[in-house]
Amino acid sequence: HETEEMVINALSTGAADYVIKTSPPNDILEHIRNTYKGAPLLDQKIQNFMRAEFARLRRSEQSLLFFVTKLTSLTPAEKDLIRLLLKDKKVSEIAKIRSVEVVTVKTQITGLLNKFGCRRTKEIVKMLRDMKLDRFFLTDKGQSSS
């Protein structure tokens, strides 16, 4: 198979080389011989898959590091605000739940947006969900409930 997923799965589980079964027989033999000698020949297409995957992992790692750094600097009020945003609460609902004015919630949201470099709270919520970090906010004990 020459799907990107198959190639990445095979190489990430320990395959030393990957050759497409529709390759010419001489190419397959050359791959086998070189892999046996400890010098696998990754085809250009396979190399491109791997470069793309490493780039994706690097971006993901940098995003995660950025978010973890930001998350550790959150105040308890900001964490509670994020928890409520993750529950898809509106600004007015958050104000009521927290017994504060709507303007207070809006000010705190502005601070969060600046901290995360986002323009909308939906961006923060999406990133947290995409990185599977939302569970850290939704399982906090001692936070106000809705």
Side-chain angles (χ1 to χ4, degrees), residues 32-88:
I32 292 169
R33 288 184 181 116
N34 282 319
T35 301
Y36 178 76
K37 293 176 191 173
L41 303 168
L42 289 174
D43 291 329
Q44 188 62 46
K45 188 172 190 175
I46 305 304
Q47 289 177 31
N48 291 340
F49 284 162
M50 296 308 294
R51 274 192 209 90
E53 179 64 7
F54 282 127
R56 186 195 66 77
L57 287 172
R58 185 62 147 163
R59 283 190 308 275
S60 177
E61 180 183 86
Q62 289 170 341
S63 295
L64 184 60
L65 182 60
F66 170 81
F67 253 77
V68 168
T69 301
K70 296 300 178 189
L71 293 176
T72 59
S73 70
L74 294 175
T75 66
E78 289 171 327
K79 289 177 185 176
D80 192 47
L81 178 57
I82 289 174
R83 184 181 61 78
L84 293 169
L85 291 169
L86 285 164
K87 290 183 175 185
D88 298 318

Side-chain angles (χ1 to χ4, degrees), residues 77-141:
E78 289 171 327
K79 289 177 185 176
D80 192 47
L81 178 57
I82 289 174
R83 184 181 61 78
L84 293 169
L85 291 169
L86 285 164
K87 290 183 175 185
D88 298 318
K89 300 294 182 188
K90 306 272 186 245
V91 172
S92 59
E93 293 174 304
I94 293 170
K96 186 176 179 182
I97 290 166
R98 297 178 73 201
S99 301
V100 298
E101 296 294 324
V102 169
V103 70
T104 302
V105 175
K106 288 181 178 182
T107 300
Q108 290 174 333
I109 286 173
T110 300
L112 272 180
L113 294 173
N114 290 335
K115 197 173 266 191
F116 286 96
C118 295
R119 296 193 316 169
R120 301 178 67 213
T121 56
K122 289 182 181 194
E123 293 173 53
I124 295 172
V125 168
K126 182 180 181 331
M127 285 190 261
L128 288 170
R129 287 180 176 151
D130 288 349
M131 292 183 196
K132 311 255 187 276
L133 296 174
D134 54 333
R135 62 180 160 221
F136 294 111
F137 293 92
L138 298 175
T139 59
D140 276 355
K141 294 188 175 139

